[in-house]
Amino acid sequence: MTGRLANANYLRKLTRSDDPRRFPEASGGTNSFLPQLADEFGRRIFQPSPLKVFDGGRRILHSASSYADVLFLRHGCRMLRRKRGIRSLNRKQIASQIVKILEADVSHLILRTDITNFFGSIPVYEAMNLESVQACFPAVEYAWCMKMLSANPYTDDKLPRGLSISGELAEHFMAAFDRSVISHEGVVFYGRFVDDIVIVTASDDLDELEAAISDYLPKCLSFNPDKTQACRWGDTRQAKAGFDYLGFSFRRTSNIASRKRSEVHVGIATSKMLRYKKRVQLAFNDFIDNKDFRLLRDRIRYLTGGCSVYSSFQRRRITLGLSASHQDITDDAALQALDAYLGNWIRTASRDGVNSCFTKGQQTQLRRLSFTASYSKNIRHRFTGKRLWEIRGIFKHV
């Protein structure tokens, strides 16, 4: 049965505002296209195409070959997410729970690690043959998904990078590991965001913990020793040095004797700050080439304040940017450093042989934009789907 896919109104829920810009089949609108596609799904004559492969910079990425394939993959994501049974924690939830645990005046051992080549190590055939995955799809849709992802026991292909459905399949694949770590003796908190893992335990035996979680991990995966860090929160020196996780930095500054709790400062990790500096640099370099000030201004507005956009996939308005992904920051030193870096680029782009880049009015507009002020005042900007696609294009792989 393909009842949902045979409904044009349901397919319309899978469309996005920037689709006409990205996919030639949708360039003329979807009002006449979706009923035809719904009929193909309903009559089971839809033929999924192999994924396209392209150079994504640091790694090879995959994308759907046609707009029909795009809508089918979005449908697959919905089905996998709806029936997974375990709601994954987001960045804000993980960070807030870590802070609550660390504030308690108790000695904890924090282990932070990640999985080496996560998507490139999970066999797509094994992921698709999990009972929880098979239960998500009718037989026809399951066969389509197997064909599109090239799930074959003889080729040992891995989960394709760049597809949201790969993330959902990975969540099903890691569900048994998650349950095992959560139930392990002494584990106070366990959080995993894709391949980044943090474990807070009351145990002092780090070797035993590492050995246990290594045994729980599926055989095709392994931890990255270069990114495995341990912090003993009961050690004042280590607690002050702190640790980074998901772009956050966690540091203990002092003990509050009256409450018998520790004061934990949450900031932005150095790696996250460097990524934003790189995006600022890309925006100004692109402006120097094309002289499109409105595009530069909108990109800096997006970087400093983020934006609010309606997600048809989640059927709600979502927010993007630092203030959305890194809420409850108490240490704004990184934000001030980003403001200084932005100010330096504004000054640099107005001299050194490119004096015509900015007028005084344009300089004033850019100087009004601030990472610190936008975060503290919770400033959001609104862009159309087409404009957001233009703004984020150069930031895609940074």
Side-chain angles (χ1 to χ4, degrees), residues 138-162:
V140 175
E141 295 177 20
Y142 180 76
W144 287 343
C145 199
M146 291 280 285
K147 182 177 180 180
M148 188 181 299
L149 299 179
S150 301
N152 190 313
Y154 305 106
T155 59
D156 195 33
D157 288 343
K158 310 303 181 183
L159 286 179
R161 297 179 184 272

Side-chain angles (χ1 to χ4, degrees), residues 115-122 161 170 174 192 194-195 221:
I115 298 172
T116 304
N117 194 21
F118 185 53
F119 289 110
S121 300
I122 299 178
R161 297 179 184 272
M174 295 295 292
R192 181 179 62 81
V194 190
D195 59 344
L221 301 177

Side-chain angles (χ1 to χ4, degrees), residues 224-264:
N224 187 346
D226 295 334
K227 294 187 177 180
T228 300
Q229 300 174 346
C231 174
R232 198 173 301 278
W233 203 252
D235 185 314
T236 302
R237 180 177 299 178
Q238 292 189 34
K240 285 185 177 181
F243 64 97
D244 295 344
Y245 183 65
L246 293 182
F248 293 94
S249 65
F250 300 91
R251 309 282 186 271
R252 186 171 72 188
T253 58
S254 62
N255 290 329
I256 305 175
S258 59
R259 295 191 305 166
K260 293 185 178 180
R261 298 179 71 84
S262 299
E263 184 178 3
V264 180

